[in-house]
Amino acid sequence: MIKGYGEWLNESTVAQLTPEQVEWCNKHIKKKWKLDKNGEVVVAGNLVLQDIDDAKLPVKFADFKGNFTCLNTSLVSLEGVPTNVGGDFSLVYCNNLTSLEGAPATVGKDFHVQHCNSLKKLTGAPAVGANIIIVWCKSLISLEGAQDSMARIGDFICRNCESLVSLEGAPSRVYQFKCSNNESLKSLKGAPTDVENFDCRKCDSLVSLEGAPSIVGMDFDCSGCEN
């Protein structure tokens, strides 16, 4: 039996994992870890799971108080991530993900998705306590799934998503909404109806402002929209 961080692990908890699972945890969790009574992996503080070659996580992580990040992974499923994350939840360079199914149910702070180039929709997005930031996801075509993701009013940013053609599915009310540099976006249908700041700069295919917010508290910026 392979054991790591012996001061945290004991025979009764390790026995709930296979040797391969223990070896995986020791390799990818660069800090102390243990199992709870449900056999879920507990880690204190923040965690970055980096360079994961697995299609899905081989273990289930318990609810998490800090920030949880998946960086440069081959994951095709988010099964195994914590059900609830107290801090930020980030997916960066997870290029095999096509949906957010299996994501946490709740994220206390920010939800980041960056350079996830196979992601097409936001179905499965968590309920977020602060901000949603979706950038450089070149296959994203819709914001479907984000409508009910804002647990309270924060910022919604969806920039530099070259295939995004519709804002349908966006939250109806946010503080700032930024959808700049989306070169395939042709209209603003589906945009929030109530915002403080609205930014749709440099959307080169935008041909109409139909669907623009009816209430803008401060700034509306559509500069650089050539059409």
Side-chain angles (χ1 to χ4, degrees):
M1 178 69 71
I2 301 172
K3 299 182 183 179
Y5 300 111
E7 68 273 25
W8 275 43
L9 299 175
N10 56 52
E11 293 293 342
S12 62
T13 56
V14 172
Q16 298 179 56
L17 297 181
T18 66
E20 291 77 17
Q21 288 174 313
V22 174
E23 184 176 13
W24 186 93
C25 290
N26 290 338
K27 177 180 178 181
H28 293 291
I29 302 174
K30 307 300 183 181
K31 54 176 62 182
K32 293 179 180 180
W33 61 274
K34 64 178 181 179
L35 298 185
D36 64 13
K37 63 182 180 181
N38 298 315
E40 297 180 351
V41 176
V42 176
V43 182
N46 302 323
L47 178 63
V48 178
L49 293 179
Q50 186 170 356
D51 301 324
I52 304 295
D53 293 329
D54 306 85
K56 69 176 185 178
L57 298 177
V59 295
K60 169 63 177 174
F61 283 88
D63 286 355
F64 207 80
K65 293 183 178 180
N67 301 330
F68 193 100
T69 301
C70 296
L71 171 62
N72 191 33
T73 78
S74 297
L75 296 174
V76 299
S77 167
L78 293 177
E79 180 183 349
V81 302
T83 301
N84 301 289
V85 173
D88 298 342
F89 181 74
S90 302
L91 302 169
V92 185
Y93 288 105
C94 296
N95 285 319
N96 291 338
L97 284 177
T98 59
S99 83
L100 297 175
E101 296 289 352
T106 64
V107 171
K109 294 184 179 179
D110 293 349
F111 177 46
H112 298 261
V113 183
Q114 303 175 38
H115 295 282
C116 293
N117 289 325
S118 295
L119 186 67
K120 294 183 178 181
K121 296 182 180 180
L122 302 181
T123 304
V128 176
N131 310 306
I132 295 180
I133 301 100
I134 313 290
V135 294
W136 300 107
C137 294
K138 68 180 184 180
S139 295
L140 188 71
I141 59 174
S142 168
L143 301 182
E144 180 183 343
Q147 176 66 45
D148 299 319
S149 294
M150 305 297 284
R152 66 179 180 80
I153 299 174
D155 296 345
F156 190 99
I157 300 170
C158 53
R159 295 187 288 103
N160 298 93
C161 297
E162 62 188 54
S163 299
L164 185 67
V165 296
S166 171
L167 298 180
E168 297 288 347
S172 60
R173 187 184 182 201
V174 295
Y175 183 74
Q176 295 188 91
F177 187 87
K178 298 183 179 182
C179 60
S180 57
N181 294 89
N182 293 317
E183 60 190 54
S184 296
L185 189 65
K186 294 184 177 181
S187 84
L188 300 178
K189 290 182 179 180
T193 56
D194 185 352
V195 299
E196 286 297 307
N197 299 295
F198 188 87
D199 177 2
C200 60
R201 291 173 295 163
K202 297 182 179 180
C203 293
D204 292 343
S205 297
L206 193 65
V207 296
S208 170
L209 294 181
E210 181 181 359
S214 55
I215 301 173
V216 179
M218 297 176 64
D219 296 324
F220 184 102
D221 190 346
C222 63
S223 58
C225 298
E226 297 178 356
N227 296 310

